Amino acid sequence: MTSAQGTGKGAIADLRRRLSGKPGDGPLLSALFSALDTFGQAGTPEEAVARSNFAEVLRRQGRLAEAEAHHRKALAWLPDFGGNHYNWGVTLQALGRLSEAAAAYGEAARLMPNFAPAPCNQGVLLRELGRLDEAEVALCRALALDRALVPALLALAALHRDRGDLDLAVAGFRACLCLRPDLAEAQANLALALKERGQRGGPDEDGGASVIGFERALRIGLPDAGGVLAQLVQQRRHLCRWGGLGALSGRLVDLVREGRTQQVHPWIFLGEGAGPALERACAERYSGWKVRGIQPAFPARTKRGPKLRIGYLSADFHEHATAVLIAELIERHDRGRFEIIGCSYGPEDGGGLRRRLIAGFDRFLDLSALTDEAAARSIHEAEIDILVDLKGHTQNARPGIAAHRPAWLQVQWLGYPGTLGSPAIDYVIADPVVIPADQQRFYSERIVHLPDSYQPNDRKRVIGPSPDRAGCGLPAKGVVFCAFNAPYKIGPELFGRWCRILERVPESVLWLLEGSAEVAVNLRRAAADRGLAPERLVFAPRLPGPEHLARHRLADLFLDSSPVGAHTTASDALWAGLPVLTVAGRSFAGRVAASLLHAAGLPDLVLPDWNAYEAAACRLAVQPAELAALKLRLEQARATAPLFDTDRFARSIEAAFTAMWDIHAAGEPPRAFAVPPQG
């Protein structure tokens, strides 16, 4: 032993001598560090710094695990040197270990109080982790040291957007661009903030400005341009700016098909109608990117309570389409067998629907102020057996919560019409119309078929008094075709069909939902280009629920859209007694109205193709007796059809939850199954 130690000391001394005058010699450094590790010796402060720099070289070579090991040794030799902590943070960040990286940057900031990049990087990661208050403190500290530190300005502006303060976000991104007008990330983020502000009633010019910003970001260039290209495509759809849209969409589909992007938002990609195979590829890549670095870490529970605990996870427990659909279901669940828990990470709007939902749940967990990890811990501690994600890949979703795997079984339902592409989700709740059984290969989840429709309804929704046509801007006579889907669901080909229908049905009008001011201008121009009088398009302002439902009674027929069709919008029309005409699309997003019509007892309004759809609309428009019969069938269906039978739906979804649990309790992996019809 003494001889070996002596030999080791000699080897170390020899390596140190040989490194004298050439400290950058990588092989000699590697040999020295190996010798020091072998014989349990600490290096000098200079060698600790050299080891940290050597780790940086390994990181740049992509050898992240080796680099991280060397950083740890350097820190053991020289724990109070801030540069070591900073470099360690860079490597941890590259490994996707964001929480540890943020802590390393924080320690570097403590040890180097005048080094602005350390609190800047800490703040950037804390924001990504959802720890917004801590992130703001770190970013403000960085900017106090360097007011022109663009990464800190960029992250702080993004933090304001996260909080919903879009005016501050816009000002912050513009400040970044004053310093770095060629920064593509700032251009893209400014465009996104303008887009969101415009959708929330901001200045009319925000919509056009956002298009310009996305285009500038793409011209400058981004490492992954897919996400920004998708936002540009979607914003042009929102504004009905169709010129050149086909080429942009083609580029987007090619990026996904070729696997050259992770950042295309799956919800936006549904609008391409590219089919379920590419939709799955898009969702899987996006999910992997969004939850990178998250590892499930909760201890397995060993038993369940006497009632199966179901947790509904959403940001939308307020005035929102999802809340409208599920409110009565929450109240109708069988409390003898189930405990129903609301897991909310959305805002408190103080409205009646939120109060109703909170009263309907047995427990209500407000997770809005928690990070994804802390929210998942709260769900785990609530001992929820089955967690039902109602958001999927929709606005304000937080897939990181489910990625921590807080519940035994995790399910997605209702919010997102497609696969999430996430290994954290075991099942998707659907029906045979929206997801035919032969489409299992397009879903990462196991498909569970409910017997009627996957969509619930609320029989307590009030329909206000019927208005008159003049008060809604409609002509006194003539057929009213209603198309209350959002403008982004209208494409040029579909709009051309609608114009042909109007041309073939004299004195008819198309009643559309009002969007931004530009939407009406663009659609009326498109109508004129097709030889149709622009005044035959009538735009309906947004109204509260009862008034909105009531005005459906002035219309004769609802025309569905494609490739993303009417979802809650179709339920609204059917509940109000307005027949819906649709074609079952290739994917879930285009098959929802077909599902609802089957469950409402009107499968004959699901047409085999778009030519048949166009012909049927024209035929029904001149057959008032047939339209009246369809409306009578809908009126009778309110009392008898499965679509409006909330108790029947509750029993069906409860049977699904029970079957999932039984499979799990038997020690078997999740598998697809169909729930038999319930009484």
Side-chain angles (χ1 to χ4, degrees):
M1 186 71 170
T2 303
S3 174
Q5 285 180 339
T7 302
K9 289 179 180 179
I12 291 167
D14 179 60
L15 286 166
R16 282 172 169 158
R17 178 185 56 76
R18 293 167 63 191
L19 277 165
S20 179
K22 46 181 177 179
D25 191 314
L28 285 176
L29 277 173
S30 182
L32 173 62
F33 298 146
S34 178
L36 289 167
D37 292 345
T38 299
F39 295 100
Q41 295 189 29
T44 65
E46 292 77 14
E47 287 167 353
V49 173
R51 187 160 198 159
S52 183
N53 292 337
F54 182 64
E56 282 295 284
V57 173
L58 294 173
R59 178 184 62 79
R60 286 192 290 272
Q61 293 175 350
R63 297 160 64 182
L64 298 179
E66 294 174 72
E68 205 264 337
H70 279 285
H71 280 307
R72 287 184 178 275
K73 289 288 186 180
L75 285 165
W77 293 352
L78 195 62
D80 294 330
F81 180 50
N84 285 353
H85 289 276
Y86 184 83
N87 290 341
W88 187 36
V90 174
T91 299
L92 289 169
Q93 186 174 352
L95 284 163
R97 291 155 59 180
L98 303 189
S99 183
E100 294 173 77
Y105 288 136
E107 185 64 9
R110 184 184 71 81
L111 293 167
M112 299 186 295
N114 296 317
F115 184 57
C120 173
N121 286 10
Q122 181 191 25
V124 168
L125 294 189
L126 289 171
R127 176 190 159 256
E128 282 194 48
L129 292 164
R131 294 156 61 179
L132 300 187
D133 292 343
E134 297 171 75
E136 184 174 19
V137 170
L139 293 169
C140 288
R141 178 180 175 186
L143 290 168
L145 294 169
D146 183 353
R147 295 179 63 184
L149 188 60
V150 171
L153 288 168
L154 190 67
L156 188 59
L159 185 148
H160 292 316
R161 192 183 68 225
D162 294 339
R163 287 177 169 163
D165 195 334
L166 297 178
D167 291 337
L168 269 180
V170 166
F173 291 130
R174 284 178 171 154
C176 293
L177 290 168
C178 287
L179 296 167
R180 284 280 309 277
D182 62 340
L183 186 60
E185 189 179 358
Q187 292 283 7
N189 276 282
L190 173 61
L192 186 58
L194 289 168
K195 175 188 171 187
E196 292 174 354
R197 190 169 73 170
Q199 290 170 349
R200 297 185 195 178
D204 285 341
E205 59 269 21
D206 278 359
S210 70
V211 169
I212 293 169
F214 289 133
E215 290 172 341
R216 283 175 178 164
L218 289 171
R219 282 197 300 271
I220 295 167
L222 294 145
D224 185 340
V228 174
L229 178 59
Q231 292 291 343
L232 173 60
V233 166
Q234 190 193 47
Q235 183 63 345
R236 288 176 64 112
R237 287 192 198 125
H238 275 297
L239 299 173
C240 296
R241 288 192 187 186
W242 297 332
L245 183 58
L248 291 171
S249 289
R251 282 174 56 193
L252 185 62
V253 172
D254 286 345
L255 283 176
V256 173
R257 180 183 293 112
E258 295 161 11
R260 293 190 287 127
T261 179
Q262 292 180 293
Q263 297 180 18
V264 172
H265 199 291
W267 171 252
I268 296 175
F269 193 68
L270 293 178
E272 297 304 322
L278 283 183
E279 288 164 6
R280 175 173 181 171
C282 178
E284 287 181 337
R285 292 179 193 131
Y286 182 82
S287 289
W289 171 67
K290 286 292 286 185
V291 302
R292 60 196 183 280
I294 296 178
Q295 296 294 329
F298 295 106
R301 291 181 16 240
T302 57
K303 62 180 181 179
R304 52 158 284 196
K307 299 179 184 179
L308 202 58
R309 290 195 181 97
I310 310 298
Y312 287 105
L313 176 67
S314 181
D316 300 329
F317 295 134
H318 50 257
E319 287 295 334
H320 185 278
T322 298
V324 167
L325 292 175
I326 68 166
E328 189 180 7
L329 169 66
I330 300 305
E331 296 163 346
R332 295 282 176 174
H333 271 304
D334 181 355
R335 275 5 193 238
R337 297 188 298 131
F338 299 90
E339 182 180 352
I340 308 301
I341 301 170
C343 306
S344 171
Y345 55 86
E348 162 65 82
D349 67 349
L353 187 52
R354 184 173 178 89
R355 291 194 299 273
R356 179 182 170 191
L357 285 164
I358 291 174
F361 286 115
D362 298 311
R363 280 190 282 165
F364 191 80
L365 307 180
D366 186 352
L367 312 173
S368 57
L370 303 181
T371 66
D372 287 352
E373 184 179 4
R377 184 177 298 109
S378 181
I379 291 167
H380 182 77
E381 290 172 352
E383 298 187 336
I384 287 170
D385 302 311
I386 301 177
L387 183 66
V388 184
D389 183 353
L390 299 174
K391 288 295 291 178
H393 293 308
T394 57
Q395 191 172 27
N396 301 319
R398 289 174 56 181
I401 296 176
H404 282 91
R405 196 82 202 195
W408 265 322
L409 293 172
Q410 301 193 153
V411 182
Q412 68 115 336
W413 171 57
L414 193 61
Y416 182 73
T419 182
L420 299 191
S422 169
I425 305 298
D426 303 302
Y427 291 101
V428 55
I429 296 176
D431 63 58
V433 176
V434 291
I435 310 180
D438 62 1
Q439 291 197 358
Q440 176 63 76
R441 66 190 183 280
F442 303 130
Y443 285 77
S444 60
E445 311 89 345
R446 299 297 95 187
I447 298 169
V448 174
H449 280 155
L450 299 186
D452 305 307
S453 175
Y454 84 106
Q455 194 183 97
N457 262 275
D458 178 10
R459 294 172 297 185
K460 298 180 182 179
R461 279 189 293 166
V462 175
I463 301 175
S466 296
D468 57 39
R469 281 193 165 200
C472 292
L474 297 169
K477 62 177 183 176
V479 172
V480 176
F481 293 106
C482 175
F484 280 168
N485 274 330
Y488 74 87
K489 296 184 181 181
I490 305 170
E493 182 180 350
L494 176 69
F495 188 73
R497 289 190 182 277
W498 288 351
C499 288
R500 288 196 297 272
I501 291 169
L502 293 178
E503 187 178 3
R504 291 170 60 186
V505 182
E507 299 186 303
S508 62
V509 296
L510 180 62
W511 201 12
L512 299 159
L513 195 63
E514 190 174 75
S516 71
E518 185 178 340
V519 168
V521 171
N522 289 341
L523 288 181
R524 285 186 169 129
R525 183 185 297 119
D529 290 344
R530 289 162 173 80
L532 193 73
E535 58 269 21
R536 293 181 71 181
L537 305 186
V538 181
F539 290 88
R542 296 187 181 275
L543 291 176
E547 293 93 326
H548 174 63
L549 290 172
R551 64 184 171 185
H552 284 79
R553 291 174 168 170
L554 301 178
D556 296 288
L557 187 65
F558 186 103
L559 300 177
D560 197 15
S561 59
S562 173
V564 179
H567 297 179
T568 308
T569 311
S571 281
D572 288 344
L574 295 172
W575 178 246
L578 178 62
V580 175
L581 199 66
T582 193
V583 175
R586 295 172 66 190
S587 302
F588 191 149
R591 302 176 67 87
V592 174
S595 166
L596 302 180
L597 286 164
H598 276 85
L602 293 172
D604 41 321
L605 293 183
V606 182
L607 281 303
D609 57 55
W610 291 97
N611 289 332
Y613 164 99
E614 194 174 326
C618 295
R619 176 181 59 79
L620 288 169
V622 296
Q623 297 288 338
E626 189 172 352
L627 274 176
L630 288 170
K631 290 186 174 184
L632 178 61
R633 284 167 64 187
L634 264 180
E635 183 63 31
Q636 294 169 340
R638 283 165 58 96
T640 60
L643 182 63
F644 305 118
D645 189 339
T646 313
D647 287 310
R648 177 185 174 112
F649 185 91
R651 301 297 83 78
S652 295
I653 200 167
E654 288 168 357
F657 292 147
T658 301
M660 291 175 198
W661 181 260
D662 288 345
I663 293 168
H664 169 76
E668 300 173 11
R671 65 170 182 266
F673 63 89
V675 174
Q678 304 295 300

